[in-house]
Amino acid sequence: MSYCEKDIEFMRRAIELAKKGGGYVHPNPLVGCVVVKDGEIIAEGYHEKYGEFHAERNALLRCQSETKGALLYVTLEPCCHYGKTPPCTEIIIEKGIKKVFVGILDPNPLVAGKGVKILQDAGIEVEIGLCQDEIRELNKVFLKYITTKRPYVIMKTAMTIDGKIAAATGDSKWVTNEASRKLVHELRSELSGVIVGIGTVLADDPMLNVRLEGEHHQPIRIVVDSNLRIPVDSQLIKTSRVYRTIIATTVIPSAAGARNLLSTGCEVVQCASKDGHVDINDLMCKLGAMGIDSLLLEGGGTLNAAFLEAGCVDEVWAFIAPKIIGGAAAKTPVSGKGIEKMSDAIQLKNIDIQNINGDILIKGKICSRG
């Protein structure tokens, strides 16, 4: 279906509004809404925070103009059930909206076309699919989580041009430039959690928080620590009452080490063991059940390899700095057993390449295998 320039303009405005909810609405979708009458925007809204009103209700309640006969542009199908807030279909009908442009249908079984049908049964015209590709990308986290109950995982790596994440001595501060590191903090603020392995904690003693000016969502910090080796004087443990911190392990929670961590404010999640290590697929199921819909994987080569081998990476952000450090013993972004044939390599698609003040950022989605 073809749409006029004005329709596209209004929906793209709704998309920009939806982005403002980044980091604050997990595990809900990012949704924006624009109300138009006589060719002019008379109200705007977006889903601002989990548990609060949705985009349509925010826009219509704040509207100071007559809405009867107006057009409504919304990025996601309006909800039609009572949850933490009333259904948006109700207020759309009450306010006399004439036509609704829906970007994409909501795959949530509680909605899944039912919202559109309710509007149509009330005599409201509905068109679906305006800017749908952009909206699917905007809500890639929600679309995976609502259909699988597993987090969307972005693997972030930072390496030199010769593929090293640290010098042979272990020194890694800093591989990339300040602009690249700022972008990583912005990404952290948009996702539910950030996850590393115990090797990274022992080597770098990171904080894994968002260090940007102003107020930002702080991600849940997750450490994969199969045998509970994390030091109680590490920055993560010392700040676990400030920032939510989860330790994923194979050790039973009643063990002495686990009890010590629990006393510091950490959460300890026992996972199934695979070859003596945390089973990554089991961990993803457990984190999903906790409402964690997205993760930034900032691990070293061992954890990155484990996630890739388990098929748990959805997207890769690879920062490449224009530096060469060499060293056969210098670590690389992915270790593990690796592949035996180039034809078996994990492929990326939808490649996007950016220049970040001299660093190169390559983004890509993991191609499905098998």
Side-chain angles (χ1 to χ4, degrees):
M1 182 180 292
S2 60
Y3 296 94
C4 71
E5 288 186 12
K6 275 292 187 180
D7 288 334
I8 296 172
E9 176 187 327
F10 293 138
M11 186 61 86
R12 285 190 171 152
R13 174 57 185 164
I15 291 171
E16 289 306 307
L17 289 167
K19 291 177 181 177
K20 294 184 177 183
Y24 295 101
V25 300
H26 299 295
N28 283 355
L30 296 166
V31 185
C33 176
V34 170
V35 183
V36 174
K37 193 166 185 182
D38 299 325
E40 301 293 332
I41 295 176
I42 60 172
E44 296 182 336
Y46 67 98
H47 185 30
E48 298 173 9
K49 191 174 181 181
Y50 176 72
E52 296 183 358
F53 285 153
H54 293 175
E56 304 94 307
R57 192 166 288 272
N58 276 333
L60 291 169
L61 287 177
R62 295 168 183 171
C63 185
Q64 300 298 310
S65 304
E66 173 58 56
T67 58
K68 187 173 183 180
L71 309 179
L72 185 143
Y73 297 77
V74 63
T75 55
L76 186 73
E77 178 182 8
C79 67
C80 54
H81 62 285
Y82 281 88
K84 292 184 179 298
T85 60
C88 292
T89 50
E90 281 189 1
I91 193 168
I92 291 171
I93 295 168
E94 289 169 6
K95 293 292 185 177
I97 298 299
K98 175 184 178 182
K99 183 174 181 179
V100 176
F101 290 84
V102 174
I104 61 173
L105 293 177
D106 188 343
N108 185 339
L110 294 173
V111 188
K114 299 182 186 74
V116 166
K117 187 176 187 306
I118 288 171
L119 295 178
Q120 291 172 330
D121 289 347
I124 298 172
E125 185 180 353
V126 180
E127 285 196 22
I128 304 164
L130 179 57
C131 299
Q132 61 181 327
D133 291 341
E134 296 168 57
I135 295 167
R136 287 188 182 282
E137 177 62 21
L138 173 71
N139 272 307
K140 59 192 176 186
V141 167
F142 171 75
L143 293 174
K144 178 184 179 181
Y145 181 73
I146 198 66
T147 54
T148 68
K149 293 302 178 187
R150 289 163 64 100
Y152 187 95
V153 178
I154 299 177
M155 186 181 88
K156 186 276 294 183
T157 67
M159 70 186 97
T160 59
I161 204 169
D162 57 336
K164 309 296 185 181
I165 61 174
T169 60
D171 181 63
S172 61
K173 289 189 167 59
W174 296 103
V175 174
T176 52
N177 63 36
E178 186 175 348
S180 293
R181 299 196 300 274
K182 181 176 183 290
L183 186 57
V184 171
H185 280 270
E186 292 172 356
L187 184 57
R188 283 182 185 177
S189 74
E190 294 171 2
L191 302 178
S192 283
V194 55
I195 186 166
V196 298
I198 184 59
T200 296
V201 175
L202 295 176
D204 300 336
D205 193 20
M207 275 284 287
L208 302 179
N209 61 337
V210 173
R211 297 184 293 279
L212 297 170
E213 291 185 8
E215 182 181 343
H216 295 273
H217 159 74
Q218 291 292 341
I220 301 166
R221 306 175 306 174
I222 303 159
V223 180
V224 179
D225 183 9
S226 300
N227 300 304
L228 289 188
R229 295 188 290 147
I230 189 167
V232 292
D233 62 348
S234 65
Q235 292 197 85
L236 290 171
I237 301 303
K238 290 192 293 186
T239 58
S240 61
R241 295 193 187 278
V242 179
Y243 306 111
R244 186 179 175 189
T245 305
I246 297 173
I247 310 299
T249 182
T250 61
V251 177
I252 59 174
S254 60
R259 293 200 306 272
N260 289 340
L261 290 175
L262 289 168
S263 69
T264 67
C266 286
E267 298 170 48
V268 176
V269 174
Q270 184 189 12
C271 300
S273 175
K274 184 176 182 180
D275 300 324
H277 301 285
V278 165
D279 184 310
I280 300 301
N281 272 297
D282 185 54
L283 173 59
M284 292 300 97
C285 290
K286 285 183 165 62
L287 294 179
M290 297 167 71
I292 297 172
D293 66 358
S294 52
L295 294 172
L296 182 59
L297 172 58
E298 294 199 56
T302 300
L303 191 63
N304 289 346
F307 266 79
L308 289 166
E309 290 167 5
C312 292
V313 175
D314 297 286
E315 187 174 337
V316 175
W317 286 36
F319 291 86
I320 304 173
K323 302 173 183 178
I324 298 173
I325 59 175
K331 294 181 179 180
T332 58
V334 180
S335 54
K337 292 181 293 186
I339 62 164
E340 295 182 1
K341 297 179 181 179
M342 189 59 70
S343 59
D344 295 329
I346 296 170
Q347 300 279 345
L348 300 183
K349 62 182 179 179
N350 302 339
I351 302 301
D352 177 53
I353 302 175
Q354 301 174 28
N355 187 318
I356 313 293
N357 284 7
D359 289 347
I360 301 299
L361 170 58
I362 302 176
K363 299 182 190 177
K365 305 285 180 65
I366 297 285
C367 292
S368 58
R369 288 174 284 175

